[in-house]
Amino acid sequence: MTTRWPWISMLLSIIILVSPLGTGVLRDAFFSRELLSRSIAQPIVFIGLAILISICVIEWLVRSIISKRRSGGATTS
């Protein structure tokens, strides 16, 4: 592993947001003319974004821990 950047989860997030389902939910949440549709879709979008950001942070933390352990070197007793 050469980088700590969470590229796997970032790629997954982009794929989800660009998919037809993702763009439809985003469109309903922010560009719908109906108030009921917006008020239903906005919490779904915010919860989904929070989950995607959490996954990115977790991947970054795991990569950081693995990188620190590998840089310490192996000790033999």
Side-chain angles (χ1 to χ4, degrees):
M1 180 176 4
T2 59
T3 180
R4 292 184 199 170
W5 186 254
W7 63 271
I8 296 171
S9 56
M10 295 293 282
L11 185 64
L12 177 68
S13 300
I14 291 171
I15 290 171
I16 290 172
L17 292 175
V18 175
S19 71
L21 181 64
T23 55
V25 172
L26 285 172
R27 186 180 62 242
D28 287 343
F30 298 110
F31 302 114
S32 177
R33 295 185 187 268
E34 294 183 24
L35 182 60
L36 179 63
S37 177
R38 279 196 315 251
S39 63
I40 291 173
Q42 280 181 352
I44 293 170
V45 167
F46 290 137
I47 290 169
L49 288 175
I51 291 170
L52 292 175
I53 290 170
S54 299
I55 291 171
C56 290
V57 168
I58 290 170
E59 182 183 355
W60 178 76
L61 286 172
V62 168
R63 286 178 176 265
S64 295
I65 291 169
I66 291 172
S67 176
K68 286 179 185 176
R69 286 190 180 175
R70 286 189 181 176
S71 68
T75 59
T76 57
S77 301

